[in-house]
Amino acid sequence: DLNRSDLDERQIPRLVFALVDSIFEPEQKLLYMAVPNGGRGERGQVLQLVERSSTTDIPAVATKITVGEGKIGWVASAKVEMLAEDWLNMTRTEGRAIEDNHPSLRLDLIGPLVHHVEGKDRLLGVLCIGNPVSHPRDEKAMLQMVTNLGSIAYTNSGACGS
């Protein structure tokens, strides 16, 4: 359903979460979307939590994240997928230790939703998966597949204003 051209953007988070559930069976799922900032670029751009599924409460402070802030903001800025063990490899983060965004957030897998257009990558959002029960063999490739499908769905729905 994520590849339908007549898809309503309000259905996308539910469909992405269903796909995440079938692959990873996580305890927590969070979807942040980039808030348009009038074309000023991604510096200072805000990610707004638009959908969540969690056994724990998400505090208000974790519902808006600035690009570059903490692990979620770092993934948004770098536009690369990160697994929990990737944060231990300092070469992945250019030698910087990146802080968690908030203790209530489980950030085992974090992937950006990116729209590739005319040689540029435009951030659409970030998907966070916490405490997955299932760990598929190509975990990062599976995460990338889900975020790519989400990006395509948002692009096809016209939600990203390409």
Side-chain angles (χ1 to χ4, degrees), residues 68-132:
E69 177 183 293
K71 290 179 178 176
I72 296 169
W74 188 92
V75 165
S77 179
K79 297 181 187 72
V80 295
E81 295 77 18
M82 293 289 279
L83 306 183
E85 60 268 17
D86 290 335
W87 299 107
L88 304 175
N89 180 353
M90 297 294 268
T91 61
R92 295 273 306 170
T93 59
E94 295 142 5
R96 292 176 39 221
I98 310 296
E99 297 293 320
D100 281 335
N101 287 86
H102 191 275
S104 67
L105 304 183
R106 311 272 181 274
L107 303 174
D108 297 290
L109 302 113
I110 310 174
L113 279 74
V114 178
H115 179 50
H116 307 282
V117 63
E118 297 173 5
K120 294 182 182 170
D121 294 339
R122 189 160 65 92
L123 179 70
L124 302 178
V126 176
L127 175 67
C128 305
I129 301 170
N131 204 17

